[in-house]
Amino acid sequence: MSEKMGLMEFAGYVEKNIRDYLPESLRDAEIQCQAVDKPGYYERAEEPMMALTIRPAGAVMAPVVYLKEYHKGYLDGQDLKSVMDMIAVKSAMGEKPFAREELAEFLDVLNNSPEKLLPLVRPRLSPKDRVPDSCISRPYLDLAETYYLDFAEKHLTCTIRKPLLARMGVTSAQVEEAAKENMRREGPVLLRMGDLTDALMSGADEPSNLLDSAFFQCDEPRLPGTEPEKGLDLFVLTNKEKFFGAAYLADQDLHERIYKAVGEYYILPSSVHELLILPNRQASPYDVNALRGMVRDVNQTQVAGYEQLSNNVYVNSGKGVRPVFGEPLKRDIKPLRHRGR
């Protein structure tokens, strides 16, 4: 393609070819790209607002991706394949849509008892540039914390956006506080990487959580089984469902207690679902550049684009978690695996 496509032609190209870039879970979805209207939009712009909808079978609602910003990136010189990868990442990041009967149940609660939704609020962390303005969010370090409703028994999630917040009749501060309380009530999970690997290879039961109730109750927290002579000094921090468990990066009280138990440690973002905890207990400190390189390589080869959290490494030296900056996430990675619900 020697000449650049206009927006309408670009939208047609996306509609025809985006299926090749989607994860397996969306390969059979209904794909439609059309011009939509929003109040006041055409008073500000003459171009149509082109919206891409990817709707799995049986769903009555689905996330919408507006193509104008991606078309602009394409016009500015971004490789077309990279742009298509970015659109696929954005589409796959959307929550699993409601089926018709599930939507009816959700609307009944929303219309009659919206306060019942607060116990379902959960936090998640994302790269800042992947959080749309319509989401309720707060910045955290180099990331952003957003919130969603977790219908765990139905394996469904629903992102809390500003219109939904208004329907719930609560403030963003109430949502933030509910997310924090719910996350702490369920409790974090810390597993030895070696034990977890052995369980996966042998089919044995998952190892026990090192963060038992005593850890949160005593003045001097201890983590039995984390002594350096036990082998590989690496741990996995997540939640019980291993879903958006990297949100515990923002739990400052938890990291204060972990520091008291193990001393200085690095945090490697494995994905949006889990974190790796690496105590700095060697005679010689770890090479931070090497750690960043490892995180970057894993992101490029093992983690789907929409599940990547950061190429940075984080450290807790007793003054809270802070990032050790690396390079930004690359946005031209084709998804390799899918962990959607």
Side-chain angles (χ1 to χ4, degrees), residues 187-335:
V189 173
L190 186 71
L191 307 172
R192 280 181 46 80
M193 175 63 83
D195 293 344
L196 183 59
T197 301
D198 291 344
L200 291 173
M201 294 182 64
S202 66
D205 293 338
E206 185 172 289
S208 59
N209 182 10
L210 299 176
L211 300 176
D212 57 16
S213 58
F215 175 79
F216 295 98
Q217 296 169 359
C218 60
D219 294 332
E220 294 297 327
R222 292 183 63 254
L223 288 174
T226 65
E227 298 81 2
E229 65 270 14
K230 290 285 186 178
L232 181 64
D233 211 14
L234 188 63
F235 307 87
V236 178
L237 178 64
T238 184
N239 54 22
K240 293 178 181 179
E241 295 185 341
K242 299 183 179 64
F243 187 70
F244 294 153
Y248 280 109
L249 183 69
D251 189 335
Q252 299 179 32
D253 293 339
L254 171 63
H255 288 285
E256 180 179 346
R257 298 187 71 80
I258 292 178
Y259 174 81
K260 288 181 178 179
V262 303
E264 182 181 77
Y265 60 93
Y266 290 103
I267 305 171
L268 283 58
S270 176
S271 72
V272 296
H273 303 296
E274 60 272 315
L275 305 165
L276 300 183
I277 303 295
L278 180 65
N280 193 17
R281 299 188 287 209
Q282 296 189 125
S284 300
Y286 285 102
D287 184 335
V288 176
N289 289 327
L291 294 179
R292 283 201 301 252
M294 182 172 67
V295 171
R296 182 192 62 242
D297 291 344
V298 169
N299 277 334
Q300 290 180 344
T301 61
Q302 302 296 324
V303 185
Y306 51 89
E307 293 189 331
Q308 294 176 13
L309 181 61
S310 173
N311 275 340
N312 294 334
V313 170
Y314 303 83
V315 65
N316 184 359
S317 301
K319 298 181 179 179
V321 174
R322 62 179 178 86
V324 182
F325 286 101
E327 61 188 86
L329 279 174
K330 293 185 178 181
R331 301 298 299 276
D332 58 349
I333 305 300
K334 191 169 183 178

Side-chain angles (χ1 to χ4, degrees), residues 5 12 52 69 74 79 95 105 136 138 140 153 160 174 180 183 185 224 242 248-249 267 274 286 323 328 340:
M5 294 181 285
L52 174 70
E69 62 175 298
Y74 158 74
D79 177 76
E95 63 273 5
E105 181 180 345
I136 304 301
R138 73 174 183 94
Y140 179 72
E153 72 282 357
I160 299 179
Q174 287 176 296
K180 183 186 299 184
M183 182 173 67
R185 184 184 67 249
K242 299 183 179 64
Y248 280 109
L249 183 69
I267 305 171
E274 60 272 315
Y286 285 102

Side-chain angles (χ1 to χ4, degrees), residues 23-214:
E24 289 296 332
S25 60
L26 293 176
R27 289 289 173 86
D28 296 326
E30 175 188 344
I31 297 175
Q32 185 178 27
C33 193
Q34 59 184 346
V36 297
D37 190 11
K38 283 190 172 183
Y41 176 77
Y42 289 105
E43 298 174 5
R44 304 187 303 271
E46 295 181 357
E47 286 185 314
M49 178 177 281
M50 301 304 298
L52 174 70
T53 303
I54 299 178
R55 180 179 291 106
V60 294
M61 296 178 63
V64 174
V65 178
Y66 295 104
L67 298 179
K68 185 176 180 179
E69 62 175 298
Y70 300 99
H71 179 246
K72 182 179 184 302
Y74 158 74
L75 293 179
D76 289 344
Q78 290 186 21
D79 177 76
L80 183 58
K81 178 184 179 299
S82 298
V83 174
M84 294 292 285
D85 280 331
M86 291 165 62
I87 295 172
V89 165
K90 184 71 173 181
S91 302
M93 281 178 66
E95 63 273 5
K96 182 179 177 181
F98 286 111
R100 191 174 302 277
E101 64 277 5
E102 294 163 336
L103 176 63
E105 181 180 345
F106 170 70
L107 290 177
D108 181 64
V109 174
L110 184 60
N111 291 329
N112 297 292
S113 305
E115 69 280 358
K116 291 183 178 180
L117 296 176
L118 282 178
L120 305 179
V121 175
R122 301 291 185 274
R124 67 169 290 182
L125 286 178
S126 302
K128 284 182 179 178
D129 65 346
R130 294 185 185 175
V131 177
D133 292 338
S134 61
C135 283
I136 304 301
S137 66
R138 73 174 183 94
Y140 179 72
L141 302 177
D142 56 317
L143 305 168
E145 186 176 76
T146 59
Y147 309 94
Y148 65 98
L149 299 174
D150 185 15
F151 300 85
E153 72 282 357
K154 298 181 182 297
H155 301 287
L156 290 168
T157 62
C158 177
T159 298
I160 299 179
R161 303 177 188 271
K162 294 173 183 177
L164 177 56
L165 185 75
R167 290 284 302 276
M168 291 172 65
V170 297
T171 65
S172 57
Q174 287 176 296
V175 166
E176 291 178 20
E177 186 60 30
K180 183 186 299 184
E181 290 180 2
N182 296 336
M183 182 173 67
R184 290 182 176 177
R185 184 184 67 249
E186 293 179 348
V189 173
L190 186 71
L191 307 172
R192 280 181 46 80
M193 175 63 83
D195 293 344
L196 183 59
T197 301
D198 291 344
L200 291 173
M201 294 182 64
S202 66
D205 293 338
E206 185 172 289
S208 59
N209 182 10
L210 299 176
L211 300 176
D212 57 16
S213 58

